[in-house]
Amino acid sequence: MTIRRIPATRLGRLALTAGTALALFTTLPMSSAHATTGTLFYSSSVGDFQIKEPRLGTCEPLHGGATNASNQTNATATLYFDSSCGSPWGSLQPGKFTSFVGDLPDSVRFGS
């Protein structure tokens, strides 16, 4: 069995490389960074629905048009009158509830 001695400068470079790789890995966004935490609850003329852990920036349909909504996520929910998130109704902050009268929102997108 032969034991090789690694020079201190090479050992230092290895440690620096490993440390840099670890720092880079911990700063990269993970898939959960693209989703909210929590659930949007809403009711419509066709039933009660939930959107769990919605992805940020994705337009989600509100089946039957929402008559009320409760944003129990950690992100702002922007509600829209159309199904393609093009005509905004307004925003619903995390932890807030609202009821709708008249024109009902047909879609929602999460994020600021």
Side-chain angles (χ1 to χ4, degrees):
M1 172 184 228
T2 305
I3 298 176
R4 290 184 57 190
R5 183 169 181 218
I6 299 174
T9 55
R10 186 170 178 204
L11 189 59
R13 281 185 286 195
L14 287 171
L16 180 61
T17 302
T20 302
L22 180 61
L24 179 61
F25 176 75
T26 59
T27 60
L28 290 175
M30 299 297 175
S31 61
S32 63
H34 299 290
T36 64
T37 300
T39 304
L40 175 82
F41 299 92
Y42 72 95
S43 296
S44 74
S45 61
V46 295
D48 296 326
F49 297 92
Q50 301 176 15
I51 301 175
K52 295 181 181 180
E53 311 287 326
R55 291 183 55 82
L56 293 173
T58 300
C59 186
E60 300 278 351
L62 299 174
H63 305 289
T67 56
N68 64 58
S70 177
N71 183 7
Q72 299 305 310
T73 72
N74 63 343
T76 300
T78 303
L79 297 138
Y80 297 86
F81 288 119
D82 63 330
S83 60
S84 60
C85 293
S87 179
W89 170 86
S91 296
L92 190 58
Q93 298 300 316
K96 299 297 181 180
F97 171 88
T98 193
S99 293
F100 306 100
V101 291
D103 291 335
L104 301 176
D106 285 321
S107 59
V108 62
R109 180 179 290 147
F110 290 85
S112 52

